Amino acid sequence: GSAPEDYEIPDSQTKDGAALPVEDVFESSDVNSVNEWWTEKRTLVLEKVARLTDNVLSSLKNGKKLTITAFGDGAFDPVLLDAAVVATMPLRSVDRCSKGSEKTVTLSKSHQEILRRYLRFLFTRKLERLLQSLNNGLKDHFTTTQLWTKASKGGLRYDSDEKEDDGVSYVGWQAFFDRHAYPSSMEVEKHYY
């Protein structure tokens, strides 16, 4: 899909000058781009909406990352949602919200879609990093097993007996535990108990 008219990311162009689709631009380590995106108005809206403490806001302005609590019950930390809403907010909405005194934000359908894509990107990346870390920790003990570490094709529920495009036959996490981890834990239990 294409980006909504009111949604712009400064300097979001490819090398040949074509604009990047908004859904493909979620992060930047370029300080100038980040500072250009996080204007005083956007920061003001974040402060109003997320009700951040002065310490947290000061840390953010000094370039520190926002630390959010992860819940295992499917609930989201309200600060995460508020920060994601403001971070993905179209510029026109930032201008409108920065002038008003209200502490709530109304999301347009296009903003909801952009937010949905951003959260999918964020959680996919976090899941893949976690799976890669777990896979690296298991490699010492299961040297011939290649675990699936992507969120695609079922993620944790990946189940395929075919080789992937890279020529590797991956094992899904459930299959790994059924074949390797559970029998290994039973051996340990018999040996020590």
Side-chain angles (χ1 to χ4, degrees):
S2 62
E5 294 175 9
D6 62 346
Y7 195 84
E8 300 169 2
I9 295 180
D11 301 321
S12 59
Q13 297 180 347
T14 61
K15 290 180 181 176
D16 63 0
L20 288 172
V22 168
E23 59 271 11
D24 292 342
V25 182
F26 291 115
E27 289 189 337
S28 177
S29 56
D30 177 48
V31 175
N32 292 332
S33 294
V34 171
N35 289 339
E36 200 171 321
W37 184 250
W38 282 97
T39 61
E40 280 296 320
K41 286 182 181 180
R42 190 175 297 275
T43 307
L44 176 67
V45 173
L46 178 63
E47 185 179 5
K48 284 194 311 189
V49 172
R51 296 171 201 90
L52 300 174
T53 65
D54 291 337
N55 286 343
V56 172
L57 196 58
S58 172
S59 293
L60 287 174
K61 288 180 179 180
N62 289 326
K64 302 279 186 200
K65 290 185 178 185
L66 183 62
T67 303
I68 304 289
T69 304
F71 298 109
D73 62 358
F76 292 106
D77 186 317
V79 175
L80 169 66
L81 291 178
D82 291 340
V85 165
V86 175
T88 59
M89 186 178 282
L91 296 176
R92 290 183 191 158
S93 297
V94 170
D95 289 338
R96 186 177 58 250
C97 291
S98 66
K99 293 175 186 168
S101 61
E102 58 190 64
K103 295 183 184 217
T104 58
V105 175
T106 303
L107 282 77
S108 66
K109 287 193 185 264
S110 61
H111 188 187
Q112 290 175 32
E113 181 59 28
I114 292 165
L115 178 62
R116 201 173 295 117
R117 288 179 186 161
Y118 173 73
L119 290 172
R120 185 180 323 124
F121 164 80
L122 177 72
F123 291 125
T124 296
R125 200 182 78 224
K126 296 288 185 192
L127 174 64
E128 288 178 353
R129 284 183 180 171
L130 175 65
L131 293 177
Q132 188 61 46
S133 178
L134 290 171
N135 184 36
N136 290 339
L138 292 170
K139 280 188 179 190
D140 291 341
H141 305 285
F142 302 95
T143 56
T144 60
T145 303
Q146 288 288 328
L147 287 164
W148 184 251
T149 59
K150 303 289 182 199
S152 60
K153 298 184 180 180
L156 289 171
R157 293 182 183 89
Y158 174 83
D159 184 21
S160 177
D161 295 328
E162 298 177 17
K163 290 185 177 183
E164 292 298 322
D165 294 339
D166 60 3
V168 177
S169 292
Y170 291 96
V171 176
W173 289 87
Q174 187 62 51
F176 168 75
F177 283 107
D178 290 346
R179 287 186 217 151
H180 301 290
Y182 182 75
S184 296
S185 65
M186 291 297 103
E187 284 180 33
V188 168
E189 188 173 314
K190 285 179 190 175
H191 186 308
Y192 291 104
Y193 301 103

